[in-house]
Amino acid sequence: MGKPFASLPAPGARPFIVEVRRGAQVESRHPVVATIVDGDGKALASWGDPQAWIFPRSSNKAIQALPLVESGAADAFSLSQSELSMACASHGGETRHTETAAAWLARIGRKPEDLECGAHWPYHEETARQIARDGRAPTSLHNNCSGKHCGMVSVATHLGEDVRGYVMPDHPVQRRVTAAIEDVCGVKIPAEQFATDGCSMPTMAIPLHNLAWGFARFVTGTGLAPERTKAAKRLAAAVAAEPFFVAGSGRFCTAVMQAGKGRFIAKTGAEGIYTAASAELGLGIALKVLDGTARAAQTALGGLLEHLKLLDEDAREQIRPLVEQPLNNWRGINVGSIGLPAF
Amino acid sequence: MGKPFASLPAPGARPFIVEVRRGAQVESRHPVVATIVDGDGKALASWGDPQAWIFPRSSNKAIQALPLVESGAADAFSLSQSELSMACASHGGETRHTETAAAWLARIGRKPEDLECGAHWPYHEETARQIARDGRAPTSLHNNCSGKHCGMVSVATHLGEDVRGYVMPDHPVQRRVTAAIEDVCGVKIPAEQFATDGCSMPTMAIPLHNLAWGFARFVTGTGLAPERTKAAKRLAAAVAAEPFFVAGSGRFCTAVMQAGKGRFIAKTGAEGIYTAASAELGLGIALKVLDGTARAAQTALGGLLEHLKLLDEDAREQIRPLVEQPLNNWRGINVGSIGLPAF
């Protein structure tokens, strides 16, 4: 008890490894590319090639939410901290999430059908089972991205733009999002790096370095316009204050921010991405598990937070089972673990 | 249409890669170690290190089922082709699976509670939702390994052994299974390679080469005792005749064997494993996705079957969507694919 998480290897050209162990053996291995960058864009440490272009996916939702604040929509609609947090979320579709999204839409005169994210069963297993037990089907409100889409619809509504098609790359809502990403992350994104996300919005690959740099600037404001800095800090504060609304019960984003007590923000993205940012240290973190596996991403982030001494003893113990993940079988017998190798 | 699957790179010391693509970019990459071995243990082709020790997990269930036939239990209990196939299965927990397992247990005077595999929600999504809608909970019959466990319980029952604890490494049931694996795969397994599987049975790592060799021998009988050869051929015939019972609706094991029309058997294992064997060519295949990801394993097997010219035009078209997997988002929009790189 109380032991720090295993140290990362020395930074360098090689990815670091997250191990999946069974008995005394390593059964599977996940290589992780990661980088830590300050507000000036200086890399403090990297593992693997930080210039690799990766899709941030949902990990940069807080950056995508900047126009929601900057446009005046957040103020016009009196968005709460919970709602701003949900605008940056990949939530579990729990009742508190869907009720918050539904009330938000009602308040701005919109309906769940206006969300163009599609429906999927809630990530939160027990909620999904309950919906099935009730003979109901999931709606767009249960989509993990529904809060982000409420934000997009809010911007279009506030600015008097046609809400329909707000997910299309040429809609002004998306053009503002792309411009915000390019500005904050300091990168011009060529056309061939544009693709489509699970929720039908555009998603654009950028170098991992620029993703980390973007998050360093998100919390420091280094080199950003004052209005943008203010909006970013407001969103970061909302996420830190309401971490349940960014993810949910049992989820690492929520647990690690609760444990961190405001010292950092952190966000997962599909295909093995994590970002984090610490205003206290003035830096951003971005990592990609090269094979895209989520189970390794949270372990990797735990290692990076430990590396940066961002976890006190309490924080470490709170998140330990999500970083040094025990693997228990169907009868609850421990058969292995996921973790960083002991160097 | 009709185009063969992308060719594998030349065999060699490097794993081959399965790509996960989004738009015009590769988003994630899965390295695959694979080998093709004949009945004499000669490697015909390998990618990466075939001497790496890996856990076969469920991929060698057919080998684990040998004592069921060899002990006389299969004959004593008049096991059907479907039941023998289920003894080798990681099934989806569909109604035909659970009813088959329940009837089998009743016939040998045993109950679902005698299965020591634990319960989990069916892999088959629609069946899981239906159980939730009905307000029921999953039982040991829904466990993907329930057929294997019915087989183990049948052996103990037939031989008058205590059924309780049949999953423990020192129970005679397990000692026979371990001996069969060591014999067929031609390897002595040291104690440190023993671990516990998801279904509570022992699972033992062996070199990938020996797993492929074991499956070559399973279908050729090269160097095996006549009784063992006969039992192996009976199990292989049952699996090929009843591929639904090995996996289920929408599953690659079932689809690829249906497409192959008896030219080969194939079986997945947790953490990115696939095995296959062709009596016609007299060889076995084993592969491991190094990061343990299932989505890449079926694509990799498709490439290996293509490499060996085991797929005719019809077969290829039947399994194409499971090998060159389109990735569609929550609204059904195509956003990418999983496949072998075009070399």
Side-chain angles (χ1 to χ4, degrees):
Chain A
M1 289 302 290
K3 202 159 63 90
F5 299 137
S7 300
L8 297 175
R14 291 162 64 104
F16 68 82
I17 300 295
V18 171
E19 292 180 344
V20 180
R21 309 172 193 112
R22 183 166 295 267
Q25 304 301 323
V26 177
E27 183 167 20
S28 301
R29 289 175 176 82
H30 298 286
V32 182
V33 176
T35 189
I36 303 169
V37 178
D38 72 14
D40 295 319
K42 184 175 164 233
L44 276 68
S46 297
W47 293 260
D49 177 14
Q51 295 305 325
W53 289 67
I54 55 90
F55 286 102
R57 305 292 300 275
S58 292
S59 74
N60 67 358
K61 273 179 176 163
I63 299 174
Q64 296 178 47
L66 283 169
L68 174 62
V69 177
E70 294 170 349
S71 67
D75 285 333
F77 296 126
S78 306
L79 296 188
S80 67
Q81 296 279 79
S82 303
E83 287 164 336
L84 287 177
S85 184
M86 263 193 71
C88 307
S90 301
H91 63 73
E94 297 177 68
T95 304
R96 286 173 71 197
H97 297 126
T98 50
E99 287 183 349
T100 300
W104 178 354
L105 286 172
R107 210 166 70 247
I108 66 171
R110 297 290 177 189
K111 302 182 302 295
E113 296 73 42
D114 291 322
L115 302 184
E116 299 182 357
C117 48
H120 66 74
W121 288 89
Y123 288 171
H124 186 249
E125 277 285 316
E126 191 36 54
T127 303
R129 303 279 174 230
Q130 189 58 53
I131 290 172
R133 272 196 292 273
D134 295 348
R136 293 179 292 137
T139 72
S140 60
L141 297 175
H142 297 97
N143 188 306
N144 76 91
C145 301
S146 68
K148 178 176 76 169
H149 285 251
C150 287
M152 304 282 167
V153 165
S154 296
V155 172
T157 300
H158 175 63
L159 297 177
E161 294 165 355
D162 189 356
V163 167
R164 280 171 306 172
Y166 72 85
V167 297
M168 302 308 290
D170 56 351
H171 192 286
V173 160
Q174 296 306 331
R175 288 216 297 265
R176 274 179 224 108
V177 169
T178 301
I181 293 170
E182 290 191 327
D183 175 51
V184 174
C185 296
V187 58
K188 177 79 190 136
I189 307 171
E192 70 269 19
Q193 300 292 347
F194 279 66
T196 307
D197 212 326
C199 70
S200 297
M201 270 184 42
T203 185
M204 299 80 83
I206 62 173
L208 190 75
H209 170 85
N210 294 75
L211 182 58
W213 186 24
F215 271 96
R217 281 148 64 99
F218 198 85
V219 294
T220 62
T222 310
L224 299 183
E227 277 306 302
R228 181 145 281 176
T229 299
K230 203 173 138 197
K233 289 189 175 177
R234 181 168 167 192
L235 286 164
V239 164
E242 296 290 352
F244 172 82
F245 286 94
V246 167
S249 305
R251 294 273 302 278
F252 191 64
C253 288
T254 298
V256 76
M257 284 195 281
Q258 285 171 340
K261 302 179 196 73
R263 294 185 69 190
F264 51 82
I265 57 171
K267 180 73 185 74
T268 189
E271 293 292 327
I273 301 282
Y274 246 105
T275 56
S278 162
E280 174 189 329
L281 301 183
L283 46 81
I285 298 172
L287 70 88
K288 161 125 185 131
V289 184
L290 288 176
D291 53 66
T293 306
R295 65 182 178 184
Q298 65 191 60
T299 296
L301 184 64
L304 286 157
L305 293 172
E306 181 79 71
H307 180 84
L308 289 170
K309 303 192 194 313
L310 277 166
L311 302 170
D312 63 23
E313 192 122 346
D314 278 358
R316 194 185 291 131
E317 293 320 309
Q318 277 181 60
I319 64 169
R320 188 177 295 279
L322 297 169
V323 174
E324 298 175 343
Q325 302 170 61
L327 294 175
N328 299 330
N329 76 1
W330 306 119
R331 292 170 81 197
I333 301 166
N334 181 259
V335 296
S337 61
I338 301 174
L340 294 163
F343 284 95
Chain B
M1 291 303 291
K3 203 157 65 87
F5 300 138
S7 300
L8 296 175
R14 291 161 65 106
F16 68 82
I17 300 296
V18 171
E19 292 180 344
V20 180
R21 310 172 192 113
R22 183 167 295 267
Q25 305 300 324
V26 177
E27 183 166 20
S28 301
R29 288 175 177 83
H30 298 285
V32 181
V33 177
T35 189
I36 303 169
V37 178
D38 72 13
D40 294 319
K42 185 177 162 228
L44 276 68
S46 297
W47 293 260
D49 178 13
Q51 296 305 325
W53 288 67
I54 54 91
F55 286 101
R57 305 292 300 277
S58 293
S59 74
N60 68 358
K61 274 179 176 161
I63 299 174
Q64 296 178 46
L66 284 169
L68 174 61
V69 177
E70 294 170 348
S71 67
D75 284 333
F77 297 126
S78 306
L79 296 188
S80 66
Q81 295 279 79
S82 303
E83 287 163 337
L84 286 177
S85 184
M86 263 192 73
C88 308
S90 301
H91 64 73
E94 298 178 66
T95 304
R96 287 173 69 197
H97 297 126
T98 50
E99 287 183 349
T100 299
W104 178 355
L105 286 172
R107 210 166 69 247
I108 66 171
R110 296 291 177 188
K111 302 182 302 294
E113 296 72 41
D114 291 322
L115 302 184
E116 298 182 355
C117 48
H120 65 74
W121 288 89
Y123 288 172
H124 186 250
E125 277 284 318
E126 191 36 53
T127 304
R129 303 280 175 230
Q130 189 58 52
I131 291 171
R133 273 194 292 273
D134 295 348
R136 293 180 291 137
T139 71
S140 61
L141 297 176
H142 296 97
N143 188 306
N144 76 91
C145 300
S146 67
K148 178 177 78 169
H149 285 251
C150 287
M152 304 282 168
V153 165
S154 296
V155 171
T157 301
H158 175 63
L159 297 178
E161 294 165 354
D162 190 355
V163 167
R164 281 171 305 172
Y166 70 88
V167 298
M168 303 308 289
D170 56 351
H171 192 286
V173 160
Q174 297 304 332
R175 287 215 298 263
R176 274 179 225 110
V177 170
T178 301
I181 294 170
E182 291 189 325
D183 175 51
V184 174
C185 296
V187 57
K188 178 78 191 137
I189 307 171
E192 69 269 21
Q193 301 292 346
F194 278 67
T196 307
D197 211 326
C199 69
S200 297
M201 268 183 42
T203 185
M204 300 80 84
I206 63 174
L208 190 74
H209 169 85
N210 294 75
L211 182 58
W213 185 25
F215 271 96
R217 281 149 62 100
F218 198 83
V219 294
T220 62
T222 310
L224 300 183
E227 277 307 301
R228 181 145 280 175
T229 299
K230 203 174 139 197
K233 290 190 174 176
R234 181 169 168 190
L235 286 164
V239 164
E242 296 290 351
F244 172 82
F245 287 94
V246 167
S249 305
R251 294 273 301 280
F252 190 64
C253 288
T254 297
V256 76
M257 284 195 280
Q258 285 171 338
K261 301 179 197 73
R263 294 185 68 189
F264 52 82
I265 56 172
K267 181 70 186 72
T268 190
E271 293 291 326
I273 300 281
Y274 245 105
T275 55
S278 162
E280 173 190 329
L281 301 183
L283 45 79
I285 298 172
L287 70 88
K288 161 125 184 131
V289 184
L290 289 175
D291 53 65
T293 307
R295 66 181 178 184
Q298 65 190 62
T299 296
L301 184 65
L304 286 157
L305 294 173
E306 182 78 72
H307 180 83
L308 289 170
K309 305 192 193 312
L310 277 167
L311 302 170
D312 63 23
E313 192 123 343
D314 278 358
R316 195 185 288 130
E317 293 320 308
Q318 278 182 57
I319 63 170
R320 189 178 294 281
L322 297 169
V323 174
E324 298 175 342
Q325 304 170 61
L327 295 175
N328 298 331
N329 75 3
W330 306 119
R331 292 169 80 197
I333 300 166
N334 181 261
V335 296
S337 61
I338 301 174
L340 293 163
F343 282 94

